[in-house]
Amino acid sequence: MDIQQDPNLVVQAKNIKVYYDMPTMRRNTLKETIIAKLRGQNETIVTKALDDVSFYAKKGECVALIGHNGCGKSTFLKVMAGILDPVSGKILTHGRVAPLIELGAGFDPELSGRENVLLSCSLMGLTKKEIIERMDLIKSFSELGDFFDAPVKTYSSGMYMRLGFACTTAIDADLLLIDEILAVGDENFQKKCIKRMEKIRVSGVTIILVTHDLNVIRNMADRAYVLDHGKVVYEGKAGPAVDHYLALMEAERLASISREELEEDSRRQSLVLNDQHHGEKVKHLAGFITVDLLNAKGPTKTLMTGEPWTLEFNIRIHETIDKPLVAGFAVNTAHGLRLFGTNTKTLLAGNKQNDLLRIPGSYTIRFNCTATPLSTGEYSVIAALHNHSLDQTIQILGDAIRFRVEDPFDKNNFDKDLLGFDAYGAKVEIISNK
């Protein structure tokens, strides 16, 4: 991509490089420093915060930067904001830039909130008249009340950030840079901030977004760049970019597991069943072949709130078992919170089908659900095989499936619900009393 004068491109960056010198050893005296120099001992290593990054954003676009901590997202925002100069490469931005990077950075603790608004907004290019015209709006949005005229040093961290957010979003910017600020304040104020961001976006402002909230990225961003150790490893539509990032994180997780953890994981997922009560070592009894999530069209990784779904296990039983084994599952949030689960023992109590799960052979087990009870978000499935009394594990797949649920009427999960309307069978009726 070449840098060009294109009015539709609000941000253009080509081959941006930012390096940091990281000290590797500490010298306490001048003598130690001179000796280290004479010995050729290097006191620093060069860290590539950004390594040959190219980027563009069109007018009115919302573009997200995704990546692990330390991958270069915030550094790149600071380059776009003019806070950092790259070692090499070119970057062009058009119009007024409003950075929501370090909210309240530069506030004078001795000055009042009102005085800091005058100072902060003037540094961002507003005239005194423009600031005064916006003052009541800023005060109202920040919800500081009488504290608006109190010294900033008396503010809590939440009040400090709310004032910073209100200041920056009051500017008529062409380019808005957002770095993890959607968690400002309490729950109600967060919702208020998201509403403000959506209003700004609709007005045609270009937004560059950094957040670890993947739901916000899926629903707010048009495109996304995935960064990994300073490099762009993926660029495309927001949904596939999030999927690429999740796959990258899973690969890194697996690569970082120690030998001890691998041995423990292997032990837990082993098909060997140890009878802890009698000390007997039991042979391989059964195991998973495949685990799939299905909707009406077949295997899927995305469900819509309310639609029917099926969790399908394909298993193999290797030898006759005295009592039927138990196959079960649990659905967790992306943060590991268990939401619900069930198993064949519970659902097939007294049913002759249950007896099949003690005879050698391959079997398909389908947990059919009439509706998806979840709200917009990322979820995972744990799949497990247990003995009949549920006190021994034959095999457990801790992350058998990752999937996403989308509610077309609440794409951002505005109220942060876990359960969708189908979880409690909500219905509505309207009666005219005329």
Side-chain angles (χ1 to χ4, degrees):
M1 180 199 72
D2 295 324
I3 296 290
Q4 52 187 304
Q5 293 297 329
D6 186 339
N8 291 318
L9 293 179
V10 178
V11 184
Q12 301 176 74
K14 183 176 176 62
N15 305 126
I16 298 296
K17 296 183 179 181
V18 175
Y19 299 160
Y20 292 123
D21 290 335
M22 303 292 290
T24 58
M25 55 187 70
R26 193 173 176 179
R27 305 300 181 192
N28 296 317
T29 66
L30 178 61
K31 179 181 178 181
E32 289 177 343
T33 302
I34 294 173
I35 291 174
K37 292 286 186 184
L38 292 174
R39 290 177 176 174
Q41 294 176 341
N42 191 7
E43 297 183 9
T44 61
I45 58 174
V46 176
T47 299
K48 297 180 179 180
L50 294 174
D51 189 10
D52 205 33
V53 172
S54 294
F55 175 95
Y56 75 92
K58 297 178 182 178
K59 185 176 181 180
E61 246 190 335
C62 180
V63 182
L65 300 176
I66 311 174
H68 56 79
N69 290 330
C71 71
K73 305 184 299 295
S74 296
T75 297
F76 191 43
L77 283 190
K78 290 176 181 178
V79 171
M80 283 190 268
I83 298 171
L84 286 178
D85 290 325
V87 173
S88 63
K90 296 180 180 179
I91 185 164
L92 286 178
T93 60
H94 298 282
R96 179 180 283 170
V97 180
L100 276 74
I101 297 176
E102 295 177 7
L103 291 178
F107 281 175
D108 187 327
E110 299 298 329
L111 299 180
S112 69
R114 185 183 302 274
E115 291 166 335
N116 271 295
V117 170
L118 285 165
L119 174 62
S120 178
C121 292
S122 63
L123 291 175
M124 287 188 279
L126 293 185
T127 65
K128 185 175 182 179
K129 180 183 177 182
E130 289 174 325
I131 298 170
I132 292 173
E133 289 173 350
R134 292 165 169 78
M135 190 67 73
D136 288 342
L137 176 65
I138 292 171
K139 179 181 178 181
S140 173
F141 191 88
S142 65
E143 299 178 357
L144 293 176
D146 293 339
F147 279 97
F148 192 68
D149 290 297
V152 165
K153 66 181 179 182
T154 65
Y155 288 11
S156 68
S157 59
M159 295 164 67
Y160 196 88
M161 294 180 71
R162 277 155 46 186
L163 182 62
F165 184 93
C167 278
T168 307
T169 55
I171 296 172
D172 295 327
D174 299 288
L175 175 62
L176 193 59
L177 309 177
I178 304 174
D179 188 7
E180 291 292 1
I181 55 80
L182 297 180
V184 174
D186 56 31
E187 185 75 13
N188 289 334
F189 196 82
Q190 288 179 34
K191 294 175 183 178
K192 191 175 179 180
C193 290
I194 291 174
K195 276 189 175 180
R196 171 65 70 88
M197 300 311 308
E198 291 173 344
K199 184 177 180 181
I200 289 172
R201 184 190 179 193
V202 170
S203 71
V205 175
T206 300
I207 297 175
I208 311 300
L209 174 66
V210 169
T211 177
H212 286 289
D213 191 331
L214 300 182
N215 288 333
V216 170
I217 291 174
R218 285 185 187 272
N219 295 306
M220 193 170 178
D222 300 298
R223 293 186 298 114
Y225 289 76
V226 180
L227 295 176
D228 184 32
H229 297 93
K231 288 182 174 290
V232 174
V233 295
Y234 186 91
E235 184 272 323
K237 291 184 178 181
V242 169
D243 292 339
H244 185 92
Y245 165 70
L246 291 173
L248 185 67
M249 290 299 96
E250 179 64 10
E252 290 194 5
R253 183 188 71 82
L254 293 174
S256 67
I257 296 176
S258 65
R259 180 181 297 275
E260 291 78 10
E261 288 172 320
L262 281 172
E263 290 174 353
E264 177 66 14
D265 192 54
S266 176
R267 185 187 67 79
R268 289 178 179 176
Q269 296 194 23
S270 172
L271 302 183
V272 176
L273 180 61
N274 292 314
D275 189 329
Q276 297 175 348
H277 294 289
H278 301 92
E280 295 181 5
K281 205 168 190 179
V282 184
K283 296 179 181 179
H284 295 181
L285 297 179
F288 287 104
I289 301 171
T290 60
V291 177
D292 291 301
L293 181 68
L294 302 94
N295 60 12
K297 296 180 180 179
T300 185
K301 290 296 178 67
T302 303
L303 295 171
M304 303 303 291
T305 294
E307 79 168 318
W309 59 281
T310 296
L311 186 63
E312 182 178 277
F313 293 173
N314 283 295
I315 69 168
R316 182 177 296 279
I317 298 176
H318 300 289
E319 62 181 71
T320 302
I321 307 171
D322 291 339
K323 293 184 178 181
L325 63 77
V326 179
F329 74 93
V331 174
N332 290 353
T333 67
H335 302 293
L337 174 67
R338 177 171 171 140
L339 297 176
F340 59 86
T342 189
N343 57 58
T344 52
K345 183 176 182 179
T346 299
L347 297 177
L348 294 176
N351 192 314
K352 291 184 178 180
Q353 283 189 18
N354 201 23
D355 292 334
L356 292 174
L357 297 183
R358 51 177 294 277
I359 302 170
S362 62
Y363 299 90
T364 297
I365 302 170
R366 295 191 180 100
F367 296 94
N368 297 309
C369 302
T370 57
T372 301
L374 303 171
S375 293
T376 296
E378 309 288 335
Y379 302 92
S380 66
V381 171
I382 296 175
L385 299 176
H386 296 281
N387 69 336
H388 188 73
S389 58
L390 299 175
D391 58 4
Q392 295 172 325
T393 300
I394 298 173
Q395 186 178 15
I396 184 167
L397 303 178
D399 203 9
I401 295 175
R402 287 186 178 182
F403 68 100
R404 174 172 173 75
V405 174
E406 295 184 353
D407 183 342
F409 302 107
D410 188 11
K411 292 184 177 180
N412 290 314
N413 196 356
F414 185 75
D415 291 315
K416 308 295 183 184
D417 291 331
L418 291 177
L419 300 180
F421 62 89
D422 279 278
Y424 43 86
K427 295 181 180 180
V428 64
E429 60 179 341
I430 299 175
I431 302 172
S432 173
N433 294 318
K434 290 182 180 180

